[in-house]
Amino acid sequence: MVHFSAEEKTAVTSLWGKVNVEEAGGEALGRLLVVYPWTQRFFDNFGNLSSASAIMGNPKVKAHGKKVLTSFGDAIKNMDNLKGVFAKLSELHCDKLHVDPENFRLLGNVLVIILASHFGKEFTPGVQAAWQKLVAGVATALAHKYH
Amino acid sequence: MSLTKAERTIILSMWDKISTQADAIGTEALERLFTSYPQTKTYFPHFDLRPGSVHLRVHGAKVVAALGDAVKSIDNVAGALTKLSELHAYILRVDPVNFKLLSHCLLVTVASHFPADFTADAHTAWDKFLSIVSCVLTEKYR
């Protein structure tokens, strides 16, 4: 069970307050599909994914990215109970979507990189460490119900 | 996995900018590594790892200088890093999982310093390049 100190929670929530969830979500999912093209296997019905610009501009990618990151936001409101927050989604990703949990780790790290590019110096090593803990916790929670 | 011509061009042009802040970037990447992944400190019991320490600065500079050597011989990274590959295999024996962690921290550092240059294509190029370097460094492990 992941435990976050008060400082770690502050590092996460204060940055999150400044994030444009719609934009960041689209960027995170887009970059996942560009940098790790094999992740496109889950999105055959998304239309044109033939180049970086096609992917980053694809409206389905943006919409789905927003959905994913909004759910992240729910996690941030309940950092002490990530497994509870993601129980249903975990079952969904296993039973219906058949997503290898390794993909959650890849997306988490892409998100961290995007935050670094948006926030620059503000994204200090300490802030990054809190976010690495969070994305690792989310990935574990999403994999928790796999069987 | 190898770099396309376009990816090579991206790496070379970005390296010009990165090399002007080489030492700072190397040091910061190591600070990020040790802060986010404290288990990596086990390889440096002989170092003072506090932020700003001389050990960190010297070692960070070393790491980035080696990356620079790889960039300068981007068509033959294995040739450029033969000695380092042997060092890691026979002397240092750093577990291969740690190369992914350092590569990630290098990407975070570059992204935070050069956000405008760190496009999705650049991100891909650098991720691939660092994977190649990691492969070369662990090639002789067994």
Side-chain angles (χ1 to χ4, degrees):
Chain A
M1 174 84 159
V2 195
H3 173 76
F4 294 88
S5 70
E7 274 134 350
E8 285 166 339
K9 286 184 182 172
T10 304
V12 168
T13 54
S14 61
L15 217 73
W16 188 250
K18 304 182 213 174
V19 170
N20 177 326
V21 171
E22 181 164 0
E23 244 177 58
E27 214 185 320
L29 186 63
R31 283 201 182 222
L32 181 75
L33 300 174
V34 169
V35 180
Y36 309 107
W38 53 94
T39 58
Q40 293 169 24
R41 69 190 298 285
F42 302 108
F43 302 104
D44 277 337
N45 62 335
F46 267 28
N48 187 3
L49 299 179
S50 59
S51 68
S53 52
I55 291 171
M56 302 308 286
N58 183 310
K60 282 191 170 177
V61 171
K62 289 184 183 187
H64 195 68
K66 179 181 177 188
K67 203 184 203 182
V68 169
L69 215 62
T70 301
S71 160
F72 225 89
D74 293 338
I76 291 176
K77 291 189 203 105
N78 287 286
M79 283 165 74
D80 292 325
N81 183 25
L82 294 176
K83 292 202 165 101
V85 169
F86 286 109
K88 284 264 169 298
L89 272 176
S90 180
E91 284 170 10
L92 179 78
H93 281 75
C94 173
D95 300 330
K96 296 272 168 358
L97 304 178
H98 311 292
V99 176
D100 177 350
E102 179 59 24
N103 293 285
F104 309 142
R105 293 176 242 294
L106 287 178
L107 181 61
N109 278 338
V110 168
L111 178 62
V112 165
I113 286 171
I114 281 167
L115 292 174
S117 74
H118 284 203
F119 292 101
K121 276 205 163 84
E122 198 181 337
F123 199 69
T124 63
V127 170
Q128 179 190 348
W131 275 89
Q132 297 291 169
K133 218 170 148 177
L134 175 66
V135 302
V138 170
T140 302
L142 271 174
H144 187 65
K145 294 285 191 182
Y146 273 54
H147 60 97
Chain B
M1 171 172 50
S2 60
L3 296 170
T4 64
K5 258 196 177 142
E7 286 162 350
R8 250 167 272 201
T9 305
I10 290 173
I11 305 255
L12 289 165
S13 68
M14 279 185 74
W15 189 256
D16 278 341
K17 276 194 184 179
I18 291 173
S19 56
T20 62
Q21 295 180 41
D23 294 1
I25 285 181
T27 308
E28 188 182 318
L30 287 178
E31 272 178 28
R32 289 182 182 279
L33 180 72
F34 297 134
T35 310
S36 280
Y37 310 106
Q39 69 273 21
T40 55
K41 293 190 288 186
T42 55
Y43 291 98
F44 300 94
H46 52 303
F47 269 23
D48 170 8
L49 294 178
R50 289 170 299 179
S53 83
V54 172
H55 279 154
L56 264 187
R57 276 187 283 127
V58 167
H59 200 67
K62 236 185 209 178
V63 168
V64 173
L67 280 179
D69 290 341
V71 170
K72 281 181 213 105
S73 296
I74 202 163
D75 293 324
N76 182 18
V77 173
L81 299 184
T82 315
K83 284 263 170 300
L84 264 184
S85 180
E86 284 164 7
L87 182 75
H88 282 78
Y90 306 129
I91 316 287
L92 302 178
R93 292 170 291 183
V94 172
D95 190 288
V97 73
N98 295 288
F99 294 99
K100 278 198 176 174
L101 302 180
L102 178 56
S103 295
H104 173 65
C105 290
L106 278 160
L107 290 179
V108 170
T109 306
V110 169
S112 80
H113 282 244
F114 305 102
D117 298 279
F118 204 71
T119 60
D121 281 330
H123 182 166
T124 307
W126 279 100
D127 191 287
K128 274 173 85 170
F129 175 68
L130 292 174
S131 298
I132 290 168
V133 170
S134 301
C135 259
V136 166
L137 290 178
T138 55
E139 197 166 54
K140 302 179 185 189
Y141 270 38
R142 55 177 171 173

